[in-house]
Amino acid sequence: MKLLVVGGGGREHAIADKLRRDLPNGTIFAAPGNPGTEAVAASVPVDTQNLESLATFAADERVDLTVIGPEVPLADGIVDLFDDRDLPIFGPIRAAAQLESSKAFAKELMRDVGVPTADFDVFTDPELAVGYLQELEPPVVVKASGLAAGKGVIICESLEEARRAIEEILGGRFGEAGRDVVVEEFLRGDELSVFFITDGERAVPLVAARDHKRLQEGDRGPNTGGMGAFAPVPGIGSELVETVRRTVAIPVLEELAARGIPYRGFLYVGLVLTPDGPKVLEFNCRLGDPEAQVVLPLTRGNLVEPMTAIARGEGLSDWQPPSPAGFALVTVLASGGYPEAYPRGLPITVPEGIESERLRVYHAGTAIRDGQLATAGGRVLGVTGIGDSLAEAGERSRAAAGAIDFENKHWRRDIGTVTHSSS
Ligand code: AMP
Ligand code: GLY
């Protein structure tokens, strides 16, 4: 059997690593992959944006299953292209991936089917948007509707700040992603990320996780792609996940199917646990990064089978993985300066023998330079500790995160120890 993982970050390293464990004797490719994925998959020098070349590669190699890591190729229609050529692929078609690529689409769909979410409205006209602000109490949240690499969400402490955010977004700061603006109520409560595998009808949950998006300890500083994550989240039981499945995932999937755009793949539901119950912040059409680096090591049961069945259009039938045992916690090692400008090409030292079944080092932004492992991105490595308790997983992750070295390494020592809250 031959598999292809599309992407080259920490999430894709975690996906390739999980697939390798589930398929010890098969062939796995990663496009473009990274120095970490090379231990489990053969790198293919094709960029994730080059959909035609990816399809040609999958056809020439007779790949049995292609798995997409990042959102951009999904939003660009890689699944539609593979479907046209009868190439098995796991992920939503472009129209269904609008759940992530258009916040306006997702919010309006939630309103149509009664999924709890922050009160909102969508605008293309700045005057109407500013008028709507008068109905809200600060803080308010202003979002570019399209994909903006996590940068298009602005939490505004005053209506004046919100007015400026609306004008910047509709004025073109995020290009095409800011053609529409979503203005919404601020939700207070802890955040939770719930992940499902879905064939468009059934949705099977993986373990729910919590990530830490802020750069600095104590959940302060600017938002990033994610500085660490952990799972399972203490206090979050299977009843809550079942509520999210029944009241969020299933109604959304039914509506997409009824519109003739069935959704298949991973579905990531980002929630705030408000005093009035869970409310949806956003959907993503892929696994989270760095959440995948804790969710996948905890996922028992073989993922190749359900993913292949879904890619072939056969459905999940009664697939259900065993509940996860233990805890996982990932600490991200970032380049000094991230999420703004940062240097690349700094040599990385990973102490010999540091990796084990309970300590995994996932590569995110690394490259080989002059024969030496070096930094090549904002988030450089994800260091996942696994343990019988969250504390044990955290200690293991932090000990290794401290021992791995590169100049100006930035990391948070408090992942999993602060209650992340948007309040
Ligand atoms: P999003 O890309 O929509 O998930 O937004 C990124 C982050 O902004 C979320 O993880 C939250 O921390 C925060 N955020 C977005 N929308 C809201 C909201 N309505 N209320 C509170 N926080 C929000
Ligand atoms: N860690 C958040 C995300 O992947 O969107």
Side-chain angles (χ1 to χ4, degrees), residues 5 43 53 92 126 131 147 153 166 179 195 233 254 261 269 272 279 285 297 305-306 324 404 407:
V5 177
S43 291
S53 298
L147 292 180
V153 173
I166 288 167
R179 209 158 42 84
F195 301 93
V233 181
E254 282 177 351
I261 47 170
V269 183
V272 175
K279 293 194 180 179
C285 56
E305 290 160 22
I404 297 172
E407 202 181 309

Side-chain angles (χ1 to χ4, degrees), residues 84-148:
D84 283 346
R85 300 191 188 169
D86 284 328
L87 300 167
I89 186 164
F90 181 82
I93 54 172
R94 176 188 191 141
Q98 286 181 95
L99 269 192
E100 173 167 4
S101 65
S102 167
K103 289 183 192 292
F105 174 89
K107 294 290 290 192
E108 282 162 1
L109 189 143
M110 284 191 270
R111 178 151 62 195
D112 288 349
V113 298
V115 166
T117 186
D119 283 344
F120 74 101
D121 225 326
V122 181
F123 301 93
T124 47
D125 177 334
E127 267 180 46
L128 294 177
V130 171
Y132 175 68
L133 286 179
Q134 310 312 319
E135 293 176 29
L136 302 172
E137 291 277 319
V140 299
V141 186
V142 178
K143 301 181 176 184
S145 177
L147 292 180

Side-chain angles (χ1 to χ4, degrees), residues 11 211 213 225-226 268 282 284 286-291 379:
R11 168 182 45 214
D211 86 339
K213 286 208 176 76
Y268 166 146
E282 61 161 350
N284 293 317
R286 46 163 178 91
L287 289 178
D289 192 347
E291 293 96 318
R379 292 187 293 174

Side-chain angles (χ1 to χ4, degrees), residues 157-178:
E157 298 302 331
S158 69
L159 296 183
E160 176 53 27
E161 203 185 319
R163 190 183 59 75
R164 280 199 305 272
I166 288 167
E167 280 165 4
E168 277 183 19
I169 289 173
L170 292 177
R173 178 169 154 204
F174 299 101
E176 194 51 19

